[in-house]
Amino acid sequence: MNQEIIGGLDSTRCPEIIKILSLGKRSGRLLLNNGAETGNIFFRDGQIIHAQCGILQGTKAIYELTIWSSGEYRFFIDDMPDIVTVDISMDEILNEATNRIRQMDRITSLIPSSSIIYSLDPDIKEKDITLKSIQWKVLTNINGKRSIADIAQNIGLGVSDAMKVFYTLAKLELLRDADMSEGETSVMRVDLPETSFMTALRQDLTRAIGPIAPFIIMETAQDMDLDLLAEDVGQRAELIETLSSKIPDEGMSLRFLDTMTDWLNTEG
Amino acid sequence: MKGTIKDLLKVSGVHGYALIQDKSIQIKLPSKHKFSGSKESIKMLYDNLVPVEKRPGNVVEIFLEDMVLTIFVNGTIMLVVISSTRVNLALLRMTGKLVIANMVKERR
């Protein structure tokens, strides 16, 4: 029962891990890391008693963490919090988490990333628009420069909640991509070459830092003046090494290095 | 990849290595190699590099006329990889970082 609980969120999502820990009546801290952010969920005898993710605490933090689909998790046995912020049943938590994941899948079909920057669309099609106070709060923060994640942080909202608000605003056709309105290239569509190296690189980096990976690959290659189609092992190794240095979490950076070094040694 | 010293030795152009942990020095190089008897110089490097707390980064590269010393430092472990100048340095650094991270992990 005391074996290490550790793995990747791309293969096991947070609600499944919560179920396992709950069924096993475990006590301790579940640490989750999506490359950019970390969060913790604390268990006592299989019940969640506290959670934290950035500025969020309690159930809000749990629901934020349950939608993460990339990154790593690790369970620390008997690591307990000083406070209790969650007092609802596991069934309620898991039901809500499942709803949130479904909702997020719908949202990401329209808004793929929280790094997107929007500006207000001056050509409103609807005559009458009714907004909730939170939607207005978000709207007043949209300036064509701040990303969804920046705005979420500014107004103390979870990223998933902010994306939900943006989804509604986008559906109301109140927003447009910042690059369309100001001619800036803050939102780019990145088409990486479809080579086996690029596929492996993109997949592994996405596992480490999330969906922003293709942008980082393109930006890094441009900075280093590298040709992404070149088959030179030296160039590829330099790109991998530089990308690994951009992964904030040391463990993930090493895992990325490990997988890609393997790739270079076998395929490269 | 296992991330062991064997992986480093497989990198084309690597001659060998010197590993220093606390007070022990282990050198693995061909017997006629210029650095095979350089215990003292390597110890001196260790004494100069390891105690520097504010050293930016943990990889040091020393380029000599006909070879490169790539030094990986983590805590009190120092790994010096001696290679030819034609080695793929990025691949060597990547592998070396994994090897030294594994060594530190095993010591914990």
Side-chain angles (χ1 to χ4, degrees):
Chain A
M1 265 316 261
N2 276 332
Q3 79 246 36
E4 208 169 17
I5 300 172
I6 185 168
L9 290 170
D10 49 345
S11 54
T12 316
R13 296 276 289 258
C14 185
E16 291 165 52
I17 310 162
I18 291 177
K19 264 185 223 166
I20 294 166
L21 295 170
S22 170
L23 288 172
K25 300 202 179 300
R26 308 296 292 258
S27 297
R29 173 170 64 103
L30 176 66
L31 169 72
L32 299 116
N33 186 330
N34 72 355
E37 274 186 294
T38 58
N40 292 290
I41 302 177
F42 292 86
F43 293 77
R44 186 190 290 144
D45 301 326
Q47 282 299 313
I48 297 179
I49 54 167
H50 175 56
Q52 161 276 325
C53 173
I55 52 165
L56 303 176
Q57 283 203 337
T59 47
K60 279 187 179 179
I62 301 175
Y63 301 139
E64 187 67 30
L65 295 167
T66 51
I67 57 158
W68 288 4
S69 56
S70 66
E72 285 181 329
Y73 64 87
R74 187 182 193 126
F75 187 67
F76 296 89
I77 297 165
D78 294 335
D79 204 350
M80 299 304 285
D82 299 326
I83 49 170
V84 173
T85 55
V86 181
D87 189 22
I88 59 171
S89 75
M90 190 56 82
D91 283 346
E92 277 178 89
I93 291 172
L94 290 172
N95 284 341
E96 181 58 23
T98 311
N99 288 340
R100 297 273 181 138
I101 288 173
R102 268 196 221 118
Q103 215 171 41
M104 193 43 71
D105 287 343
R106 202 174 61 236
I107 291 169
T108 48
S109 65
L110 185 67
I111 303 173
S113 159
S114 62
S115 60
I116 293 180
I117 300 168
Y118 284 106
S119 62
L120 298 177
D121 191 340
D123 304 319
I124 297 174
K125 283 142 198 102
E126 299 286 331
K127 275 187 181 169
D128 300 311
I129 295 166
T130 311
L131 294 177
K132 291 180 182 165
S133 61
I134 188 65
Q135 292 164 343
W136 177 250
K137 212 170 177 181
V138 167
L139 208 62
T140 56
N141 270 271
I142 298 171
N143 64 356
K145 285 175 185 149
R146 294 187 197 120
S147 68
I148 299 174
D150 293 337
I151 293 172
Q153 200 178 15
N154 266 2
I155 58 178
L157 211 59
V159 173
S160 60
D161 286 330
M163 284 181 77
K164 203 157 79 180
V165 175
F166 270 88
Y167 177 81
T168 314
L169 297 175
K171 280 277 179 191
L172 288 168
E173 300 182 331
L174 296 176
L175 311 176
R176 64 178 180 185
D177 287 355
D179 62 337
M180 284 168 66
S181 56
E182 292 176 14
E184 291 173 2
T185 52
S186 48
V187 177
M188 296 192 302
R189 189 181 156 74
V190 173
D191 290 316
L192 294 173
E194 292 287 322
T195 61
S196 57
F197 172 63
M198 273 302 132
T199 307
L201 193 68
R202 192 183 59 233
Q203 282 174 353
D204 278 327
L205 195 63
T206 303
R207 202 170 296 140
I209 60 172
I212 200 168
F215 294 87
I216 301 292
I217 294 172
M218 190 60 94
E219 192 185 72
T220 310
Q222 279 168 357
D223 288 347
M224 296 172 73
D225 202 18
L226 293 182
D227 176 7
L228 290 176
L229 286 167
E231 294 193 355
D232 178 67
V233 182
Q235 273 198 22
R236 286 177 168 179
E238 275 180 36
L239 178 61
I240 295 167
E241 199 196 8
T242 310
L243 288 171
S244 78
S245 68
K246 295 187 175 184
I247 301 172
D249 180 79
E250 199 191 341
M252 283 201 181
S253 171
L254 285 171
R255 183 182 278 203
F256 171 75
L257 264 187
D258 191 1
T259 323
M260 289 313 299
T261 310
D262 251 353
W263 193 95
L264 276 188
N265 287 329
T266 52
E267 316 270 334
Chain B
M1 200 174 72
K2 285 178 187 162
T4 61
I5 286 188
K6 277 186 186 170
D7 294 311
L8 260 178
L9 295 176
K10 281 183 202 159
V11 177
S12 173
V14 169
H15 300 165
Y17 67 89
L19 177 65
I20 304 129
Q21 300 189 57
D22 305 319
K23 285 176 185 171
S24 73
I25 301 183
Q26 184 193 346
I27 298 178
K28 186 166 181 176
L29 277 166
S31 56
K32 287 181 183 169
H33 195 280
K34 203 193 269 186
F35 277 89
S36 59
S38 308
K39 243 183 188 178
E40 284 310 310
S41 318
I42 288 166
K43 180 76 175 59
M44 214 188 303
L45 267 176
Y46 180 84
D47 291 339
N48 279 300
L49 286 175
V50 169
V52 183
E53 282 171 11
K54 288 180 181 173
R55 183 186 53 253
N58 55 5
V59 182
V60 179
E61 284 171 328
I62 301 174
F63 291 83
L64 305 174
E65 200 176 305
D66 53 350
M67 64 184 85
V68 183
L69 306 185
T70 311
I71 304 167
F72 303 91
V73 183
N74 196 330
T76 55
I77 304 179
M78 184 176 97
L79 174 65
V80 184
V81 182
I82 299 110
S83 65
S84 84
T85 50
R86 288 191 302 274
V87 75
N88 182 339
L89 277 171
L91 183 61
L92 176 62
R93 285 192 301 266
M94 285 161 66
T95 315
K97 281 178 193 172
L98 290 169
V99 172
I100 199 145
N102 270 346
M103 282 178 179
V104 171
K105 204 169 146 190
E106 276 167 17
R107 270 172 52 138
R108 278 176 192 157

